[in-house]
Amino acid sequence: MKIREGTAGPAVHKLKQRKYGLSHWQLTAMFIPAVVLVLLFSYLPMFGIIIAFKNFRFNLGIWGSEWCGFENFRFLFESDSFKTLMRNTLGYNITWILLGKIAGIVMALCMEGINNKYCIKVFQSGMFIPYFLSWIVVSYFSHSLFAYEMGMVNSFISQFGVEKIAFYTTPKWWPLILTVFSLWKGLGYGTLLYYGTMLGIDQSLYEAATIDGCGYLKRVWHITLPHLKYIVLVTLIMDVGGIFNSDYGLFYFLTKDNGALYSVADTFDTYVFRTLRNATNLGLSSAISFLKSVVGLSLVLITNAVVKKFDDDCALL
Amino acid sequence: MVESKFRKTVRKTFFYLVLLIVTTLCIIPFITIISASFSNESELILKGYGLFPRGFDMTAYKMVFTDPGQLFGAYIVTIVLTAVGAVGSTLIMAMAAYPLSRKNYRWRGFFNMFFYITMLFSGGAVASYIVICQTLDLRDTFWSLVLPCLVSVWNIFLLRTYFQQVPYSLIEAAQIDGASEMYIFFRIIVPLSVVGIVTIFVMMALSFWNQWYGSMMYMTDDKYMTLQYYMYRILSNVDEMLKNENALMMVNGGQLPKETSRMALCVLAAGPMVFVFMFFQKYFSRGLVMGSVKG
């Protein structure tokens, strides 16, 4: 066997790499299933977004349908429902993002404060139950609470001679009800997230602060909350990106899709969902989808930029 | 200023009280439903829902079990869906997360971006619906329930974080011993990230178990009705459950147990799974916290 001088080095190197080095193609092969699924179910629909500019007909398909320019958007902005949808979606989302974070942090502080492993476990499990339930199961709960004749709320208030409330046809109660249920369902998860982060805080900081004469509130304000900054900001960026999304299970099932409650319980997503079910007004829905995607994307980028300026570590991108 | 013992005790009591109230509020609805399901229908109608059963009565359960065909069918569909979906999605996502966790993988940046974009931008519900029903023609198939939900990019990134916590020297050592990437993944990475993988598995199982969207949107018949969708139909129209004549004859004379059987169904459908998930909670509460560590 002849070994030419000068090529031995690279050849050995190549051999070594093939035998011991990482294999890029093997790693890439592991991607295939996920990439195919993402291409089909995430990227393919992205092209479907052009139906916002088309007069979509199911029988003609996406490519066969006629172009109609900004007709769909014009209809959307002129329709009465747009304002309501906008107000409901943004109003609920902003309120819930803020309240959800506050509630989670408060509960986490309570858990940290009691410092009893067994009790914390019990409380945590209890608070997590709602997280496991679908909105449909929750709608059974709300039915047992707010049904006109037999609901617990009505039997309770009628004991005091207050007239029964027809919850399912009275819009004014629903902002409160929806908020309570939304918080109720997300509380366990939020608490866990914040409590877990709190457990990672160096305890000597608290000891030092106590020796220096800090009261409880000061310790929370100057030690605990700053440590939560990262997780709060990262989840905030995600939340802001989804500010036009809504959990349509919540709105759709809890209100039992009741037309009388649309004024306070209809959001972009429930509207789209309903039009899909009835196959009406698809043009409007696709215009909504388009706006949601585009505005959502820009919001994520803007929030991220703001957060980045504020604190580079907490930015997502 | 050292805090007095008294103030500490007051504070602790206050915390306990808050937690106790909130936890009770989280459990109460469940108790109400269970009590209602064991109630006597006429008494329930008279007195309304409450924390305790209104007259102990098992008619509702008898009623549900006289004609359990639909419930049974929905159970089987949901169990198969959950099993296939959770196992499949965990495997697929873990396999995608592993290369992303390898800092020296050549196309890491590209694939990171590839997945990340889908979190920022989506085609929306209308376009997804058209793609699934028309382009891919999955309407009325079992796969329309499974395939669209298999990959959750957020979970891929969580898994990536878990995998990154495995020391790189282990992977290097295995490579020197001639292990293939698949071998490294299944024999080193997976066993060392059990907590994370179980977390994702439970989350995916939960989302498949609670699936209703697919049955509602992509199905024109009841063949693949999931449990959740079945429950939705019962709540919006209890007569559907009572349409069977045998069932009507069994409860002849007395009041039809409409409300109670509704609630019995809710207990049967939601109850078992809550316990299963409570069992896993230990793992995934650890995993969720781990995943939220910066990565």
Side-chain angles (χ1 to χ4, degrees):
Chain A
M1 199 169 73
K2 276 198 306 194
I3 299 172
R4 271 183 293 165
E5 252 177 287
T7 55
V12 168
H13 180 67
K14 217 171 185 178
L15 187 76
K16 205 171 162 189
Q17 202 176 40
R18 208 185 63 217
K19 218 172 173 186
Y20 306 136
L22 78 170
S23 156
H24 290 289
W25 71 266
Q26 277 183 9
L27 286 172
T28 313
M30 295 176 79
F31 267 129
I32 293 171
V35 167
V36 168
L37 284 170
V38 168
L39 276 178
L40 283 182
F41 296 105
S42 296
Y43 278 91
L44 209 53
M46 281 185 201
F47 297 105
I49 207 143
I50 55 162
I51 55 172
F53 304 99
K54 287 197 165 202
N55 186 4
F56 184 73
R57 294 269 170 279
F58 266 110
N59 48 3
L60 296 176
I62 294 181
W63 300 111
S65 300
E66 264 179 82
W67 291 96
C68 67
F70 286 91
E71 204 63 359
N72 288 325
F73 292 92
R74 201 170 57 83
F75 272 125
L76 176 66
F77 291 129
E78 280 173 3
S79 71
D80 302 326
S81 33
F82 182 68
K83 250 191 190 157
T84 324
L85 295 178
M86 189 77 162
R87 187 198 65 195
N88 287 344
T89 312
L90 285 183
Y92 284 131
N93 267 329
I94 293 171
T95 324
W96 295 351
I97 289 172
L98 293 179
L99 286 180
K101 291 209 188 311
I102 294 172
I105 292 175
V106 168
M107 296 323 287
L109 280 174
C110 289
M111 275 192 188
E112 204 218 7
I114 64 174
N115 199 16
N116 175 331
K117 264 198 178 146
Y118 182 72
C119 287
I120 287 176
K121 222 171 228 170
V122 172
F123 289 136
Q124 220 165 31
S125 304
M127 276 195 242
F128 239 107
I129 289 184
Y131 185 78
F132 295 124
L133 305 172
S134 72
W135 283 118
I136 294 174
V137 177
V138 178
S139 74
Y140 276 70
F141 295 165
S142 65
H143 172 83
S144 77
L145 279 173
F146 304 119
Y148 183 69
E149 285 293 341
M150 293 177 288
M152 274 165 64
V153 175
N154 271 344
S155 24
F156 182 74
I157 59 173
S158 60
Q159 280 175 0
F160 300 100
V162 183
E163 207 173 320
K164 285 184 176 177
I165 303 167
F167 282 105
Y168 282 100
T169 48
T170 321
K172 83 172 171 188
W173 294 101
W174 283 89
L176 180 67
I177 295 172
L178 292 173
T179 305
V180 168
F181 270 105
S182 165
L183 284 179
W184 174 80
K185 198 159 184 284
L187 193 63
Y189 187 87
T191 309
L192 176 73
L193 219 54
Y194 300 124
Y195 177 64
T197 317
M198 282 180 196
L199 285 183
I201 302 175
D202 188 356
Q203 287 301 313
S204 59
L205 288 175
Y206 289 107
E207 283 159 26
T210 317
I211 290 169
D212 285 348
C214 281
Y216 175 73
L217 286 177
K218 265 196 170 162
R219 287 201 301 266
V220 169
W221 185 254
H222 290 291
I223 301 174
T224 315
L225 293 186
H227 275 93
L228 294 180
K229 193 174 71 179
Y230 171 72
I231 186 97
V232 168
L233 284 179
V234 167
T235 47
L236 186 73
I237 298 176
M238 297 304 297
D239 290 342
V240 169
I243 206 158
F244 288 101
N245 299 341
S246 43
D247 204 339
Y248 37 66
L250 165 64
F251 294 96
Y252 192 81
F253 295 122
L254 252 63
T255 61
K256 301 184 182 175
D257 193 27
N258 198 329
L261 302 177
Y262 283 166
S263 62
V264 293
D266 209 9
T267 62
F268 286 134
D269 278 350
T270 49
Y271 184 87
V272 172
F273 179 61
R274 229 182 16 252
T275 58
L276 267 180
R277 281 207 82 188
N278 311 330
T280 54
N281 272 333
L282 276 178
L284 280 191
S285 288
S286 53
I288 290 179
S289 291
F290 182 84
L291 279 183
K292 265 182 55 184
S293 299
V294 173
V295 179
L297 173 64
S298 9
L299 278 176
V300 173
L301 297 178
I302 292 169
T303 333
N304 190 66
V306 171
V307 170
K308 206 167 194 168
K309 213 159 209 181
F310 175 61
D311 186 341
D312 203 31
D313 280 346
C314 298
L316 209 58
L317 283 170
Chain B
M1 186 195 81
V2 177
E3 272 184 310
S4 67
K5 211 164 184 190
F6 174 71
R7 278 181 73 170
K8 254 186 192 165
T9 322
V10 169
R11 199 171 67 221
K12 252 191 183 172
T13 323
F14 175 72
F15 287 158
Y16 270 110
L17 221 69
V18 172
L19 285 172
L20 201 68
I21 292 170
V22 171
T23 311
T24 319
L25 285 178
C26 286
I27 304 174
I28 276 186
F30 217 67
I31 297 173
T32 315
I33 300 287
I34 294 173
S35 316
S37 71
F38 285 110
S39 292
N40 182 300
E41 179 78 12
S42 37
E43 265 186 79
L44 184 76
I45 287 175
L46 203 69
K47 293 182 188 157
Y49 288 100
L51 281 182
F52 303 102
R54 308 288 191 197
F56 191 80
D57 197 335
M58 295 285 280
T59 325
Y61 285 95
K62 275 184 206 150
M63 169 86 211
V64 172
F65 281 116
T66 40
D67 181 29
Q70 260 187 326
L71 174 68
F72 200 60
Y75 241 112
I76 289 185
V77 169
T78 313
I79 288 172
V80 173
L81 175 67
T82 308
V84 172
V87 172
S89 70
T90 312
L91 188 68
I92 290 173
M93 291 193 299
M95 273 169 46
Y98 172 57
L100 292 181
S101 75
R102 292 281 299 272
K103 290 235 159 60
N104 52 0
Y105 169 53
R106 196 180 294 157
W107 296 294
R108 181 167 176 259
F110 169 76
F111 280 108
N112 255 334
M113 219 46 215
F114 175 85
F115 287 114
Y116 196 68
I117 286 171
T118 63
M119 274 170 85
L120 297 176
F121 192 78
S122 82
V126 182
S128 304
Y129 179 79
I130 293 167
V131 164
I132 289 166
C133 287
Q134 285 202 322
T135 318
L136 302 175
D137 201 17
L138 289 173
R139 189 188 272 275
D140 283 332
T141 59
F142 181 67
W143 298 111
S144 70
L145 300 179
V146 184
L147 294 178
C149 313
L150 276 181
V151 174
S152 138
V153 173
W154 180 249
N155 286 344
I156 290 186
F157 287 140
L158 278 181
L159 282 166
R160 186 189 62 183
T161 314
Y162 301 135
F163 294 161
Q164 273 167 353
Q165 286 157 5
V166 176
Y168 185 66
S169 51
L170 285 177
I171 299 173
E172 232 170 5
Q175 275 173 347
I176 289 169
D177 289 345
S180 71
E181 294 293 349
M182 271 293 186
Y183 188 90
I184 295 175
F185 173 66
F186 281 110
R187 288 303 177 85
I188 296 173
I189 301 289
V190 170
L192 287 175
S193 326
V194 170
V195 171
I197 287 179
V198 169
T199 306
I200 299 300
F201 180 79
V202 174
M203 301 284 275
M204 289 317 290
L206 185 66
S207 77
F208 277 105
W209 182 263
N210 283 340
Q211 233 229 50
W212 50 268
Y213 188 81
S215 312
M216 205 179 217
M217 303 300 285
Y218 310 135
M219 300 290 163
T220 48
D221 54 21
D222 294 342
K223 210 165 93 191
Y224 297 116
M225 186 163 58
T226 60
L227 208 49
Q228 302 294 329
Y229 183 50
Y230 179 55
M231 283 173 64
Y232 162 70
R233 293 241 304 245
I234 297 298
L235 185 63
S236 52
N237 183 14
V238 73
D239 296 327
E240 190 159 334
M241 191 169 72
L242 301 176
K243 68 188 166 195
N244 191 299
E245 281 180 46
N246 290 332
L248 285 177
M249 265 150 64
M250 191 212 70
V251 281
N252 56 344
Q255 201 142 15
L256 280 177
K258 276 193 181 183
E259 290 290 322
T260 50
S261 52
R262 229 182 218 174
M263 295 303 156
L265 191 79
C266 180
V267 172
L268 289 174
M273 223 41 199
V274 169
F275 286 105
V276 173
F277 285 121
M278 293 291 280
F279 173 74
F280 277 113
Q281 199 213 337
K282 188 176 67 182
Y283 290 97
F284 87 81
S285 52
R286 238 165 73 208
L288 283 179
V289 173
M290 251 168 66
S292 69
V293 185
K294 181 153 193 171

